[in-house]
mmCIF file of all heavy atoms in Angstrom:
data_model
loop_
_atom_site.group_PDB
_atom_site.id
_atom_site.type_symbol
_atom_site.label_atom_id
_atom_site.label_comp_id
_atom_site.label_asym_id
_atom_site.label_seq_id
_atom_site.Cartn_x
_atom_site.Cartn_y
_atom_site.Cartn_z
ATOM 1 N N ASN P 28 -7.863 25.092 -10.439
ATOM 2 C CA ASN P 28 -7.996 24.171 -9.301
ATOM 3 C C ASN P 28 -7.092 22.917 -9.352
ATOM 4 O O ASN P 28 -7.035 22.241 -8.356
ATOM 5 C CB ASN P 28 -9.430 23.809 -9.179
ATOM 6 C CG ASN P 28 -10.366 24.979 -8.991
ATOM 7 O OD1 ASN P 28 -9.909 26.051 -8.360
ATOM 8 N ND2 ASN P 28 -11.601 24.883 -9.460
ATOM 9 N N GLY P 29 -6.499 22.621 -10.438
ATOM 10 C CA GLY P 29 -5.763 21.359 -10.516
ATOM 11 C C GLY P 29 -6.623 20.255 -10.772
ATOM 12 O O GLY P 29 -7.703 20.296 -11.298
ATOM 13 N N LEU P 30 -6.203 19.071 -10.381
ATOM 14 C CA LEU P 30 -6.896 17.734 -10.528
ATOM 15 C C LEU P 30 -7.667 17.472 -9.217
ATOM 16 O O LEU P 30 -6.958 17.316 -8.154
ATOM 17 C CB LEU P 30 -5.965 16.711 -10.944
ATOM 18 C CG LEU P 30 -6.483 15.240 -11.039
ATOM 19 C CD1 LEU P 30 -7.462 15.178 -12.270
ATOM 20 C CD2 LEU P 30 -5.379 14.209 -11.256
ATOM 21 N N GLN P 31 -8.895 17.134 -9.311
ATOM 22 C CA GLN P 31 -9.680 16.792 -8.123
ATOM 23 C C GLN P 31 -10.321 15.407 -8.331
ATOM 24 O O GLN P 31 -10.936 15.231 -9.412
ATOM 25 C CB GLN P 31 -10.743 17.761 -7.826
ATOM 26 C CG GLN P 31 -10.181 19.176 -7.420
ATOM 27 C CD GLN P 31 -9.341 19.086 -6.155
ATOM 28 O OE1 GLN P 31 -9.657 18.483 -5.133
ATOM 29 N NE2 GLN P 31 -8.102 19.582 -6.281
ATOM 30 N N GLY P 49 -6.716 15.274 -4.464
ATOM 31 C CA GLY P 49 -6.315 15.853 -5.719
ATOM 32 C C GLY P 49 -4.866 16.415 -5.656
ATOM 33 O O GLY P 49 -4.125 16.203 -4.824
ATOM 34 N N VAL P 50 -4.573 16.989 -6.868
ATOM 35 C CA VAL P 50 -3.265 17.704 -7.068
ATOM 36 C C VAL P 50 -3.577 19.194 -7.402
ATOM 37 O O VAL P 50 -4.326 19.358 -8.388
ATOM 38 C CB VAL P 50 -2.480 17.047 -8.226
ATOM 39 C CG1 VAL P 50 -1.198 17.647 -8.418
ATOM 40 C CG2 VAL P 50 -2.380 15.540 -7.895
ATOM 41 N N SER P 51 -3.142 20.105 -6.618
ATOM 42 C CA SER P 51 -3.445 21.546 -6.882
ATOM 43 C C SER P 51 -2.786 21.997 -8.050
ATOM 44 O O SER P 51 -1.831 21.384 -8.601
ATOM 45 C CB SER P 51 -3.073 22.355 -5.661
ATOM 46 O OG SER P 51 -1.682 22.575 -5.567
ATOM 47 N N LYS P 52 -3.036 23.200 -8.499
ATOM 48 C CA LYS P 52 -2.431 23.789 -9.668
ATOM 49 C C LYS P 52 -0.936 24.123 -9.334
ATOM 50 O O LYS P 52 -0.100 24.130 -10.284
ATOM 51 C CB LYS P 52 -3.051 25.100 -10.122
ATOM 52 C CG LYS P 52 -2.872 26.293 -9.157
ATOM 53 C CD LYS P 52 -3.522 27.550 -9.799
ATOM 54 C CE LYS P 52 -3.259 28.715 -8.900
ATOM 55 N NZ LYS P 52 -3.670 30.034 -9.524
ATOM 56 N N HIS P 53 -0.560 24.168 -8.054
ATOM 57 C CA HIS P 53 0.866 24.325 -7.662
ATOM 58 C C HIS P 53 1.493 22.982 -7.322
ATOM 59 O O HIS P 53 2.545 22.953 -6.778
ATOM 60 C CB HIS P 53 0.950 25.229 -6.448
ATOM 61 C CG HIS P 53 0.303 26.527 -6.611
ATOM 62 N ND1 HIS P 53 0.812 27.504 -7.408
ATOM 63 C CD2 HIS P 53 -0.800 27.193 -6.043
ATOM 64 C CE1 HIS P 53 0.076 28.655 -7.420
ATOM 65 N NE2 HIS P 53 -0.920 28.395 -6.622
ATOM 66 N N GLN P 54 0.857 21.884 -7.833
ATOM 67 C CA GLN P 54 1.289 20.545 -7.678
ATOM 68 C C GLN P 54 1.427 20.053 -6.272
ATOM 69 O O GLN P 54 2.193 19.072 -5.971
ATOM 70 C CB GLN P 54 2.679 20.436 -8.459
ATOM 71 C CG GLN P 54 2.576 20.727 -9.970
ATOM 72 C CD GLN P 54 3.810 20.373 -10.688
ATOM 73 O OE1 GLN P 54 4.920 20.303 -10.146
ATOM 74 N NE2 GLN P 54 3.655 20.143 -11.985
ATOM 75 N N ALA P 55 0.638 20.581 -5.360
ATOM 76 C CA ALA P 55 0.545 19.987 -4.061
ATOM 77 C C ALA P 55 -0.321 18.799 -4.068
ATOM 78 O O ALA P 55 -1.402 18.782 -4.646
ATOM 79 C CB ALA P 55 -0.023 21.120 -3.066
ATOM 80 N N LEU P 56 0.063 17.772 -3.313
ATOM 81 C CA LEU P 56 -0.577 16.504 -3.307
ATOM 82 C C LEU P 56 -1.409 16.401 -2.024
ATOM 83 O O LEU P 56 -0.952 16.689 -0.915
ATOM 84 C CB LEU P 56 0.267 15.333 -3.390
ATOM 85 C CG LEU P 56 1.260 15.158 -4.514
ATOM 86 C CD1 LEU P 56 2.298 14.208 -4.337
ATOM 87 C CD2 LEU P 56 0.361 14.810 -5.714
#
Side-chain angles (χ1 to χ4, degrees):
N28 299 329
L30 176 68
Q31 296 299 311
V50 182
S51 76
K52 73 174 186 175
H53 301 293
Q54 299 188 336
L56 299 167

